Amino acid sequence: MRTTIFDIAKEANVSIATVSKVINNTGRISEKTRKKVLEVIEKHNYTPNLLATALTSKYSYTLGLMMPNLANPFFGEIAKSVEDRARELGFSVIMCSTEYDAEKEAWYFTLLQKKRVDGVIIISGVENEDAILGQKARAGMPIALVARDIPTLPINTVCVDDFLGGYMAARHLLQLGHRNMGMILENIRAARERLRGFRKALEEEGLTLEDRYVAEGEATIENGKLFAHRLLDKKPSPTAIFATNDILAIGVIRAANERNLKVPDDLSVVGFDNTILATITDPPLTTIAQPMSLMGSTIVDLLVQEIKGEETNKQRIILVPELVLRGSTKEPRQVAQQEGSLAQPSFSGG
Ligand code: RIB
């Protein structure tokens, strides 16, 4: 028969709570008692039933991570960092893919609650979900937000400055001499912030990004391609396109290939995220990097501090994105010809 926590407590002549404290390394226990309990645990090769432990302990040492779409490596990189940091802190992570579906998201919330997770990290896939998340947070479930900012929600949040990211993309293209640009964005709030930043930089130069040079939809390679064809059909045709993530940017490069346009000679392309995808496109993609690993580990730290009651003040941490120059951007042909040079900009990043 399987050894239980009761058997260990009985043989070590201590209470179940004491065994639980030794297992979870919490509370104050004398070295002598700890040693005795560990000896009995080892003798019986006892592995605690985590569900039973959750019932007797304050914590289940489990976190939930809800992500909208596992096909985007951006989420994989955040998930890896969340899992690594959680493990360092003694927590395991249950990952859920919500597929941008509000019903699925609600279903996972309930499931995670039933599994007695101590808190949930969410990368929201649903628009206008302030109310739903607010309700959950008020119901006492520690919730933290990563890679998304919902300014009306008083919960721990880690994301990048999306406005600044869009602004940086535009400034880079302006510096190269582009004046006629297009933009493709994912239909999420963060991407609209990137659009605002992009427009602001153009406006500072007395330029306007007309709505007809902006396309918005789900972030798929197919959409990136479709929208890029639409923008490239406009007169005058844009010499540069900024896409609000690397996946959409790949679609733009594909569209350029289909039209026999050379990237970057005929069309400059800027992505966002700096996922592994940005290094394997041809040419490699100039992109606005989000510090995915830092974002993942920081949100775990904030959530665990909240769970353990070590920090009651919630934090909104807005990280600064970074422009990573690769081969998909250069000055537009006219400028290059005027300058009599077709030199590439200097590269940084991998
Ligand atoms: O929804 C996916 C996107 O959200 C990522 O590509 C990244 O840009 C994040 O903000």
Side-chain angles (χ1 to χ4, degrees):
M1 235 178 40
R2 192 189 151 98
T3 307
T4 67
I5 194 167
F6 299 97
D7 303 324
I8 303 293
K10 197 169 164 205
E11 189 167 329
N13 203 15
V14 296
S15 69
I16 291 168
T18 303
V19 178
S20 165
K21 279 180 194 162
V22 172
I23 291 168
N24 295 316
N25 206 11
T26 53
R28 285 160 65 96
I29 298 161
S30 74
E31 239 350 272
K32 192 172 158 213
T33 308
R34 181 185 304 280
K35 204 164 158 247
K36 174 78 192 150
V37 172
L38 288 173
E39 270 167 18
V40 179
I41 285 177
E42 206 179 314
K43 177 175 154 198
H44 293 281
N45 201 9
Y46 170 68
T47 47
N49 174 337
L50 290 178
L51 280 178
T53 309
L55 292 174
T56 51
S57 142
K58 208 168 150 198
Y59 307 118
S60 64
Y61 291 93
T62 312
L63 306 177
L65 172 62
M66 301 221 282
M67 295 168 287
N69 168 17
L70 296 182
N72 184 345
F74 175 80
F75 298 118
E77 292 187 36
I78 295 228
K80 181 182 179 321
S81 161
V82 163
E83 196 185 30
D84 288 349
R85 183 62 186 143
R87 202 152 67 91
E88 279 167 17
L89 298 177
F91 285 75
S92 56
V93 181
I94 300 177
M95 306 216 186
C96 313
S97 174
T98 59
E99 311 292 337
Y100 295 92
D101 177 341
E103 255 176 53
K104 215 169 169 190
E105 197 171 289
W107 185 82
Y108 270 129
F109 254 122
T110 313
L111 183 80
L112 291 172
Q113 255 164 334
K114 282 187 190 155
K115 287 192 178 289
R116 296 176 53 93
V117 299
D118 297 320
V120 179
I121 295 170
I122 174 158
I123 308 178
S124 168
V126 184
E127 284 286 278
N128 305 321
E129 76 171 339
D130 326 22
I132 312 166
L133 289 183
Q135 229 175 27
K136 302 275 178 209
R138 277 192 298 278
M141 155 99 94
I143 297 176
L145 205 56
V146 66
R148 299 282 189 263
D149 186 24
I150 305 184
T152 51
L153 269 188
I155 62 178
N156 282 311
T157 301
V158 178
C159 60
V160 289
D161 189 330
D162 289 300
F163 177 89
L164 179 60
Y167 183 87
M168 289 163 96
R171 282 248 66 93
H172 169 57
L173 293 169
L174 286 164
Q175 263 160 20
L176 289 173
H178 293 275
R179 290 292 173 269
N180 192 16
M181 298 175 234
M183 183 163 165
I184 297 177
L185 61 146
E186 186 182 0
N187 49 353
I188 56 169
R189 191 194 311 239
R192 280 181 217 116
E193 276 301 292
R194 294 169 201 172
L195 170 63
R196 252 183 7 95
F198 194 81
R199 280 201 150 119
K200 166 88 174 121
L202 263 57
E203 278 159 19
E204 284 177 1
E205 296 299 317
L207 300 169
T208 310
L209 179 69
E210 291 174 37
D211 285 344
R212 66 194 188 102
Y213 284 101
V214 178
E216 178 177 329
E218 225 179 279
T220 61
I221 294 181
E222 219 24 63
N223 272 349
K225 197 172 82 172
L226 183 81
F227 295 152
H229 276 303
R230 270 189 216 156
L231 297 183
L232 292 165
D233 281 339
K234 306 268 181 248
K235 295 280 173 282
S237 181
T239 58
I241 293 180
F242 168 45
T244 63
N245 71 25
D246 295 345
I247 291 187
L248 287 166
I250 288 176
V252 177
I253 294 177
R254 289 240 172 118
N257 289 342
E258 285 178 2
R259 299 168 87 99
N260 288 325
L261 292 176
K262 283 195 82 176
V263 176
D265 303 71
D266 303 313
L267 180 72
S268 281
V269 183
V270 180
F272 205 104
D273 290 346
N274 197 29
T275 54
I276 183 97
L277 297 176
T279 62
I280 58 174
T281 53
D282 182 20
L285 190 63
T286 292
T287 191
I288 305 292
Q290 303 204 51
M292 292 165 278
S293 175
L294 179 64
M295 289 161 78
S297 59
T298 309
I299 201 66
V300 172
D301 285 343
L302 294 181
L303 183 61
V304 169
Q305 279 166 14
E306 180 185 349
I307 290 166
K308 293 194 167 170
E310 292 165 2
E311 180 59 72
T312 47
N313 284 329
K314 305 286 191 311
Q315 295 189 51
R316 168 171 287 121
I317 298 181
I318 316 270
L319 298 162
V320 174
E322 191 195 341
L323 171 69
V324 177
L325 294 175
R326 295 202 182 89
S328 65
T329 49
K330 71 184 289 192
E331 64 268 44
R333 261 191 204 285
Q334 278 166 321
V335 175
Q337 277 158 6
Q338 274 161 20
E339 287 173 0
S341 113
L342 286 167
Q344 291 272 1
S346 58
F347 294 163
S348 81

